[in-house]
Structure formats: C-alpha cells, structure tokens
Short mmCIF file of all heavy atoms in Angstrom, two decimals:
data_model
loop_
_atom_site.label_atom_id
_atom_site.label_comp_id
_atom_site.label_asym_id
_atom_site.label_seq_id
_atom_site.Cartn_x
_atom_site.Cartn_y
_atom_site.Cartn_z
N ARG A 11 -9.64 -10.99 -6.30
CA ARG A 11 -8.94 -10.39 -7.44
C ARG A 11 -9.59 -9.05 -7.81
O ARG A 11 -8.90 -8.06 -8.08
CB ARG A 11 -8.96 -11.36 -8.63
CG ARG A 11 -8.13 -10.90 -9.81
CD ARG A 11 -8.15 -11.94 -10.92
NE ARG A 11 -7.68 -13.24 -10.49
CZ ARG A 11 -6.39 -13.61 -10.41
NH1 ARG A 11 -5.45 -12.75 -10.74
NH2 ARG A 11 -6.06 -14.81 -10.02
N GLU A 12 -10.92 -9.00 -7.79
CA GLU A 12 -11.63 -7.78 -8.16
C GLU A 12 -11.33 -6.65 -7.18
O GLU A 12 -11.09 -5.50 -7.58
CB GLU A 12 -13.14 -8.04 -8.23
CG GLU A 12 -13.55 -8.98 -9.34
CD GLU A 12 -13.23 -10.47 -9.06
OE1 GLU A 12 -13.07 -10.86 -7.87
OE2 GLU A 12 -13.12 -11.23 -10.04
N LEU A 13 -11.35 -6.96 -5.87
CA LEU A 13 -11.03 -5.94 -4.87
C LEU A 13 -9.59 -5.48 -5.00
O LEU A 13 -9.29 -4.29 -4.84
CB LEU A 13 -11.28 -6.47 -3.46
CG LEU A 13 -12.73 -6.61 -3.02
CD1 LEU A 13 -12.82 -7.32 -1.67
CD2 LEU A 13 -13.42 -5.25 -2.97
N CYS A 14 -8.70 -6.40 -5.32
CA CYS A 14 -7.29 -6.05 -5.49
C CYS A 14 -7.14 -5.04 -6.64
O CYS A 14 -6.43 -4.04 -6.50
CB CYS A 14 -6.48 -7.32 -5.74
SG CYS A 14 -4.70 -7.12 -5.53
N HIS A 15 -7.84 -5.28 -7.74
CA HIS A 15 -7.77 -4.33 -8.86
C HIS A 15 -8.37 -2.98 -8.46
O HIS A 15 -7.79 -1.93 -8.78
CB HIS A 15 -8.48 -4.89 -10.10
CG HIS A 15 -7.64 -5.87 -10.83
ND1 HIS A 15 -6.65 -5.50 -11.70
CD2 HIS A 15 -7.64 -7.23 -10.80
CE1 HIS A 15 -6.06 -6.59 -12.19
NE2 HIS A 15 -6.65 -7.65 -11.65
N GLU A 16 -9.49 -3.00 -7.76
CA GLU A 16 -10.10 -1.75 -7.33
C GLU A 16 -9.15 -0.97 -6.42
O GLU A 16 -9.00 0.25 -6.55
CB GLU A 16 -11.43 -2.02 -6.62
CG GLU A 16 -12.21 -0.77 -6.31
CD GLU A 16 -13.56 -1.05 -5.68
OE1 GLU A 16 -14.05 -2.19 -5.75
OE2 GLU A 16 -14.12 -0.09 -5.10
N LEU A 17 -8.51 -1.67 -5.50
CA LEU A 17 -7.55 -1.03 -4.59
C LEU A 17 -6.40 -0.39 -5.35
O LEU A 17 -6.05 0.77 -5.12
CB LEU A 17 -7.01 -2.08 -3.60
CG LEU A 17 -5.92 -1.62 -2.64
CD1 LEU A 17 -6.47 -0.61 -1.64
CD2 LEU A 17 -5.31 -2.82 -1.92
N TYR A 18 -5.82 -1.13 -6.27
CA TYR A 18 -4.61 -0.65 -6.93
C TYR A 18 -4.88 0.35 -8.05
O TYR A 18 -3.96 1.05 -8.49
CB TYR A 18 -3.75 -1.83 -7.40
CG TYR A 18 -2.95 -2.36 -6.24
CD1 TYR A 18 -3.41 -3.44 -5.47
CD2 TYR A 18 -1.77 -1.75 -5.85
CE1 TYR A 18 -2.69 -3.89 -4.38
CE2 TYR A 18 -1.05 -2.19 -4.76
CZ TYR A 18 -1.52 -3.26 -4.03
OH TYR A 18 -0.81 -3.69 -2.93
N LYS A 19 -6.10 0.52 -8.47
CA LYS A 19 -6.41 1.56 -9.46
C LYS A 19 -6.21 2.96 -8.89
O LYS A 19 -5.95 3.90 -9.63
CB LYS A 19 -7.82 1.39 -10.00
CG LYS A 19 -7.91 0.24 -10.99
CD LYS A 19 -9.33 0.04 -11.50
CE LYS A 19 -9.37 -1.14 -12.46
NZ LYS A 19 -10.74 -1.46 -12.89
N SER A 20 -6.33 3.10 -7.56
CA SER A 20 -6.12 4.41 -6.91
C SER A 20 -4.91 4.39 -5.97
O SER A 20 -4.82 5.18 -5.05
CB SER A 20 -7.38 4.81 -6.13
OG SER A 20 -8.47 4.97 -6.99
N TRP A 21 -4.00 3.46 -6.18
CA TRP A 21 -2.84 3.28 -5.31
C TRP A 21 -1.82 4.39 -5.54
O TRP A 21 -1.65 4.87 -6.67
CB TRP A 21 -2.19 1.93 -5.60
CG TRP A 21 -1.17 1.56 -4.58
CD1 TRP A 21 0.18 1.76 -4.66
CD2 TRP A 21 -1.42 0.94 -3.33
NE1 TRP A 21 0.79 1.29 -3.52
CE2 TRP A 21 -0.18 0.78 -2.68
CE3 TRP A 21 -2.57 0.50 -2.67
CZ2 TRP A 21 -0.05 0.21 -1.43
CZ3 TRP A 21 -2.45 -0.07 -1.43
CH2 TRP A 21 -1.21 -0.22 -0.82
N GLU A 22 -1.12 4.78 -4.46
CA GLU A 22 0.02 5.68 -4.56
C GLU A 22 1.14 5.10 -3.71
O GLU A 22 0.92 4.74 -2.56
CB GLU A 22 -0.34 7.08 -4.03
CG GLU A 22 -1.36 7.80 -4.88
CD GLU A 22 -1.79 9.14 -4.27
OE1 GLU A 22 -1.11 9.62 -3.34
OE2 GLU A 22 -2.79 9.68 -4.74
N ASN A 23 2.32 4.96 -4.28
CA ASN A 23 3.47 4.49 -3.51
C ASN A 23 3.81 5.51 -2.43
O ASN A 23 3.71 6.72 -2.65
CB ASN A 23 4.68 4.24 -4.41
CG ASN A 23 4.58 2.94 -5.14
OD1 ASN A 23 3.81 2.07 -4.77
ND2 ASN A 23 5.37 2.79 -6.20
N ASP A 24 4.21 5.02 -1.26
CA ASP A 24 4.53 5.86 -0.12
C ASP A 24 6.04 5.90 0.07
O ASP A 24 6.66 4.87 0.35
CB ASP A 24 3.85 5.28 1.13
CG ASP A 24 4.03 6.13 2.36
OD1 ASP A 24 4.85 7.07 2.34
OD2 ASP A 24 3.34 5.85 3.35
N PRO A 25 6.65 7.07 -0.06
CA PRO A 25 8.10 7.15 0.10
C PRO A 25 8.57 6.73 1.50
O PRO A 25 9.72 6.35 1.67
CB PRO A 25 8.43 8.62 -0.18
CG PRO A 25 7.15 9.33 -0.33
CD PRO A 25 6.04 8.34 -0.41
N ALA A 26 7.68 6.76 2.49
CA ALA A 26 8.07 6.41 3.86
C ALA A 26 8.42 4.93 4.01
O ALA A 26 9.01 4.54 5.01
CB ALA A 26 6.95 6.78 4.84
N ILE A 27 8.05 4.10 3.05
CA ILE A 27 8.35 2.67 3.19
C ILE A 27 9.57 2.25 2.38
O ILE A 27 9.90 1.08 2.33
CB ILE A 27 7.13 1.78 2.85
CG1 ILE A 27 6.77 1.86 1.38
CG2 ILE A 27 5.94 2.11 3.73
CD1 ILE A 27 5.76 0.82 0.93
N TYR A 28 10.24 3.22 1.78
CA TYR A 28 11.44 2.91 0.99
C TYR A 28 12.68 3.27 1.78
O TYR A 28 12.88 4.43 2.16
CB TYR A 28 11.43 3.68 -0.34
CG TYR A 28 10.44 3.12 -1.32
CD1 TYR A 28 9.10 3.47 -1.26
CD2 TYR A 28 10.84 2.22 -2.29
CE1 TYR A 28 8.18 2.94 -2.15
CE2 TYR A 28 9.93 1.68 -3.18
CZ TYR A 28 8.60 2.05 -3.11
OH TYR A 28 7.70 1.52 -3.98
N MET A 29 13.53 2.27 2.03
CA MET A 29 14.80 2.53 2.71
C MET A 29 15.73 3.31 1.79
O MET A 29 16.46 4.17 2.21
CB MET A 29 15.46 1.23 3.16
CG MET A 29 14.73 0.55 4.27
SD MET A 29 15.57 -0.88 4.99
CE MET A 29 16.53 -1.58 3.67
N GLU A 30 15.69 2.96 0.51
CA GLU A 30 16.55 3.61 -0.48
C GLU A 30 15.67 4.35 -1.46
O GLU A 30 14.95 3.74 -2.24
CB GLU A 30 17.40 2.57 -1.20
CG GLU A 30 18.33 1.82 -0.27
CD GLU A 30 19.11 0.74 -1.01
OE1 GLU A 30 19.44 0.94 -2.19
OE2 GLU A 30 19.37 -0.30 -0.37
N MET A 31 15.73 5.67 -1.41
CA MET A 31 14.84 6.48 -2.25
C MET A 31 15.11 6.33 -3.74
O MET A 31 14.23 6.62 -4.54
CB MET A 31 14.90 7.95 -1.83
CG MET A 31 14.18 8.23 -0.53
SD MET A 31 12.46 7.60 -0.51
CE MET A 31 11.71 8.59 -1.80
N ASP A 32 16.27 5.83 -4.12
CA ASP A 32 16.50 5.62 -5.54
C ASP A 32 15.66 4.47 -6.09
O ASP A 32 15.51 4.32 -7.30
CB ASP A 32 17.99 5.42 -5.84
CG ASP A 32 18.62 4.28 -5.08
OD1 ASP A 32 18.15 3.97 -3.96
OD2 ASP A 32 19.59 3.70 -5.60
N LEU A 33 15.04 3.68 -5.19
CA LEU A 33 14.12 2.61 -5.62
C LEU A 33 12.68 3.11 -5.73
O LEU A 33 11.82 2.42 -6.27
CB LEU A 33 14.17 1.44 -4.63
CG LEU A 33 15.52 0.75 -4.50
CD1 LEU A 33 15.44 -0.34 -3.43
CD2 LEU A 33 15.97 0.17 -5.83
N PHE A 34 12.41 4.31 -5.20
CA PHE A 34 11.05 4.85 -5.21
C PHE A 34 10.67 5.33 -6.60
O PHE A 34 11.46 5.97 -7.29
CB PHE A 34 10.92 6.01 -4.23
CG PHE A 34 9.57 6.67 -4.28
CD1 PHE A 34 8.49 6.11 -3.64
CD2 PHE A 34 9.38 7.84 -5.01
CE1 PHE A 34 7.23 6.70 -3.69
CE2 PHE A 34 8.14 8.44 -5.07
CZ PHE A 34 7.06 7.86 -4.42
N ALA A 35 9.45 5.00 -7.00
CA ALA A 35 8.89 5.52 -8.25
C ALA A 35 7.39 5.65 -8.06
O ALA A 35 6.78 4.85 -7.34
CB ALA A 35 9.19 4.57 -9.41
N PRO A 36 6.78 6.64 -8.69
CA PRO A 36 5.32 6.74 -8.61
C PRO A 36 4.68 5.48 -9.19
O PRO A 36 5.19 4.90 -10.15
CB PRO A 36 4.99 7.96 -9.47
CG PRO A 36 6.26 8.74 -9.53
CD PRO A 36 7.37 7.73 -9.45
N TYR A 37 3.57 5.06 -8.58
CA TYR A 37 2.89 3.85 -9.01
C TYR A 37 2.01 4.14 -10.21
O TYR A 37 1.34 5.16 -10.27
CB TYR A 37 2.03 3.30 -7.86
CG TYR A 37 1.23 2.08 -8.27
CD1 TYR A 37 1.82 0.84 -8.33
CD2 TYR A 37 -0.11 2.19 -8.61
CE1 TYR A 37 1.11 -0.28 -8.72
CE2 TYR A 37 -0.84 1.08 -9.00
CZ TYR A 37 -0.23 -0.15 -9.05
OH TYR A 37 -0.94 -1.25 -9.44
N GLN A 38 2.02 3.22 -11.16
CA GLN A 38 1.11 3.27 -12.29
C GLN A 38 0.37 1.94 -12.37
O GLN A 38 1.02 0.87 -12.39
CB GLN A 38 1.85 3.53 -13.59
CG GLN A 38 2.44 4.93 -13.66
CD GLN A 38 3.02 5.23 -15.03
OE1 GLN A 38 3.22 4.35 -15.86
NE2 GLN A 38 3.29 6.50 -15.27
N TYR A 39 -0.94 1.99 -12.39
CA TYR A 39 -1.75 0.77 -12.43
C TYR A 39 -1.43 -0.03 -13.69
O TYR A 39 -1.32 0.52 -14.78
CB TYR A 39 -3.23 1.13 -12.40
CG TYR A 39 -4.13 -0.05 -12.61
CD1 TYR A 39 -4.34 -0.98 -11.60
CD2 TYR A 39 -4.77 -0.26 -13.83
CE1 TYR A 39 -5.15 -2.08 -11.78
CE2 TYR A 39 -5.59 -1.36 -14.02
CZ TYR A 39 -5.78 -2.26 -13.00
OH TYR A 39 -6.59 -3.35 -13.19
N ASN A 40 -1.30 -1.35 -13.50
CA ASN A 40 -1.06 -2.26 -14.60
C ASN A 40 -1.83 -3.55 -14.30
O ASN A 40 -1.53 -4.22 -13.31
CB ASN A 40 0.44 -2.53 -14.72
CG ASN A 40 0.77 -3.54 -15.79
OD1 ASN A 40 0.40 -4.70 -15.69
ND2 ASN A 40 1.49 -3.08 -16.80
N GLU A 41 -2.80 -3.86 -15.11
CA GLU A 41 -3.67 -5.02 -14.87
C GLU A 41 -2.88 -6.32 -14.72
O GLU A 41 -3.12 -7.11 -13.81
CB GLU A 41 -4.70 -5.14 -15.99
CG GLU A 41 -5.67 -6.28 -15.77
CD GLU A 41 -6.74 -6.37 -16.86
OE1 GLU A 41 -6.73 -5.55 -17.79
OE2 GLU A 41 -7.58 -7.28 -16.76
N THR A 42 -1.95 -6.55 -15.60
CA THR A 42 -1.15 -7.78 -15.55
C THR A 42 -0.33 -7.85 -14.27
O THR A 42 -0.25 -8.90 -13.63
CB THR A 42 -0.23 -7.86 -16.79
OG1 THR A 42 -1.04 -7.81 -17.97
CG2 THR A 42 0.59 -9.13 -16.78
N ALA A 43 0.26 -6.74 -13.88
CA ALA A 43 1.08 -6.71 -12.65
C ALA A 43 0.21 -6.96 -11.42
O ALA A 43 0.63 -7.67 -10.50
CB ALA A 43 1.80 -5.38 -12.54
N VAL A 44 -1.00 -6.41 -11.38
CA VAL A 44 -1.88 -6.63 -10.24
C VAL A 44 -2.31 -8.10 -10.19
O VAL A 44 -2.35 -8.70 -9.11
CB VAL A 44 -3.10 -5.68 -10.26
CG1 VAL A 44 -4.12 -6.04 -9.19
CG2 VAL A 44 -2.63 -4.23 -10.08
N ASN A 45 -2.61 -8.68 -11.34
CA ASN A 45 -2.94 -10.12 -11.36
C ASN A 45 -1.78 -10.96 -10.85
O ASN A 45 -1.97 -11.89 -10.06
CB ASN A 45 -3.32 -10.56 -12.78
CG ASN A 45 -4.74 -10.19 -13.13
OD1 ASN A 45 -5.62 -10.12 -12.27
ND2 ASN A 45 -4.97 -9.94 -14.41
N ARG A 46 -0.58 -10.63 -11.29
CA ARG A 46 0.61 -11.36 -10.86
C ARG A 46 0.81 -11.19 -9.34
O ARG A 46 1.10 -12.15 -8.63
CB ARG A 46 1.83 -10.86 -11.64
CG ARG A 46 3.06 -11.71 -11.50
CD ARG A 46 4.18 -11.33 -12.46
NE ARG A 46 4.35 -9.92 -12.71
CZ ARG A 46 4.07 -9.31 -13.88
NH1 ARG A 46 3.64 -10.01 -14.90
NH2 ARG A 46 4.25 -8.02 -14.02
N TYR A 47 0.62 -9.97 -8.84
CA TYR A 47 0.75 -9.71 -7.41
C TYR A 47 -0.29 -10.52 -6.62
O TYR A 47 0.05 -11.20 -5.65
CB TYR A 47 0.56 -8.21 -7.13
CG TYR A 47 0.49 -7.89 -5.66
CD1 TYR A 47 1.64 -7.84 -4.89
CD2 TYR A 47 -0.73 -7.64 -5.04
CE1 TYR A 47 1.58 -7.56 -3.53
CE2 TYR A 47 -0.80 -7.36 -3.69
CZ TYR A 47 0.35 -7.32 -2.95
OH TYR A 47 0.29 -7.05 -1.60
N PHE A 48 -1.54 -10.45 -7.03
CA PHE A 48 -2.60 -11.19 -6.34
C PHE A 48 -2.30 -12.68 -6.32
O PHE A 48 -2.39 -13.33 -5.28
CB PHE A 48 -3.96 -10.92 -7.00
CG PHE A 48 -5.09 -11.65 -6.34
CD1 PHE A 48 -5.66 -11.16 -5.17
CD2 PHE A 48 -5.57 -12.83 -6.88
CE1 PHE A 48 -6.70 -11.85 -4.55
CE2 PHE A 48 -6.61 -13.52 -6.27
CZ PHE A 48 -7.17 -13.02 -5.10
N ASP A 49 -1.91 -13.22 -7.46
CA ASP A 49 -1.59 -14.66 -7.54
C ASP A 49 -0.43 -15.03 -6.63
O ASP A 49 -0.42 -16.10 -6.02
CB ASP A 49 -1.26 -15.06 -8.98
CG ASP A 49 -2.49 -15.01 -9.90
OD1 ASP A 49 -3.64 -15.02 -9.40
OD2 ASP A 49 -2.28 -14.94 -11.13
N SER A 50 0.54 -14.13 -6.48
CA SER A 50 1.72 -14.43 -5.65
C SER A 50 1.37 -14.51 -4.16
O SER A 50 2.14 -15.06 -3.38
CB SER A 50 2.81 -13.39 -5.87
OG SER A 50 2.50 -12.17 -5.22
N LYS A 51 0.24 -13.96 -3.78
CA LYS A 51 -0.15 -13.93 -2.36
C LYS A 51 -1.06 -15.10 -1.98
O LYS A 51 -1.50 -15.19 -0.84
CB LYS A 51 -0.86 -12.61 -2.02
CG LYS A 51 -0.04 -11.38 -2.31
CD LYS A 51 1.28 -11.40 -1.58
CE LYS A 51 2.13 -10.20 -1.91
NZ LYS A 51 3.48 -10.31 -1.39
N GLN A 52 -1.33 -16.00 -2.90
CA GLN A 52 -2.24 -17.12 -2.64
C GLN A 52 -1.45 -18.34 -2.18
O GLN A 52 -0.97 -19.11 -2.98
CB GLN A 52 -3.06 -17.45 -3.90
CG GLN A 52 -3.79 -16.27 -4.50
CD GLN A 52 -4.68 -15.56 -3.51
OE1 GLN A 52 -5.53 -16.17 -2.88
NE2 GLN A 52 -4.47 -14.26 -3.36
N ASP A 53 -1.28 -18.45 -0.87
CA ASP A 53 -0.64 -19.64 -0.32
C ASP A 53 -1.20 -19.87 1.08
O ASP A 53 -1.71 -18.95 1.71
CB ASP A 53 0.88 -19.55 -0.36
CG ASP A 53 1.46 -18.60 0.66
OD1 ASP A 53 1.37 -18.88 1.87
OD2 ASP A 53 2.03 -17.57 0.25
N PRO A 54 -1.12 -21.10 1.58
CA PRO A 54 -1.76 -21.43 2.86
C PRO A 54 -1.15 -20.77 4.09
O PRO A 54 -1.77 -20.75 5.14
CB PRO A 54 -1.63 -22.95 2.96
CG PRO A 54 -0.77 -23.40 1.85
CD PRO A 54 -0.55 -22.26 0.91
N SER A 55 0.04 -20.19 3.96
CA SER A 55 0.65 -19.55 5.11
C SER A 55 0.36 -18.04 5.15
O SER A 55 1.00 -17.30 5.89
CB SER A 55 2.17 -19.76 5.09
OG SER A 55 2.75 -19.04 4.02
#
C-alpha cells in the first residue's frame, strides 16, 4: 500500500493508452482512490 501511494503521488496519465481521448484527463493524486485501487488488486489470480 505504501509503495502504491508513493508511485501514484508522481503519476501522470499517458494519452497513448486511451482509445478514446474524450476519456483522458490529467491525473490528480487522491489517497482514498489509491487505497481503493490497491484493495481492488488483491486477489489470488
């Protein structure tokens, strides 16, 4: 969790990974969102 927060504090969204540019937005760090993201990735697969 700590590394995830450190990573996302300096994160920048990359327009190259968006198929539809109207979905692209600059990233803004949000502690709650990073916690939710980290928790969503915790599964045995």
Side-chain angles (χ1 to χ4, degrees):
R11 186 178 303 277
E12 294 75 22
L13 286 172
C14 196
H15 281 280
E16 187 176 344
L17 175 68
Y18 279 95
K19 284 179 182 175
S20 297
W21 191 264
E22 293 175 14
N23 281 342
D24 185 348
I27 67 169
Y28 286 83
M29 290 188 330
E30 298 177 33
M31 285 308 296
D32 56 332
L33 299 177
F34 175 80
Y37 177 79
Q38 291 187 347
Y39 173 75
N40 176 295
E41 182 177 0
T42 302
V44 172
N45 281 330
R46 192 170 38 249
Y47 172 78
F48 180 80
D49 290 341
S50 76
K51 302 303 177 189
Q52 307 306 305
D53 73 68
S55 69

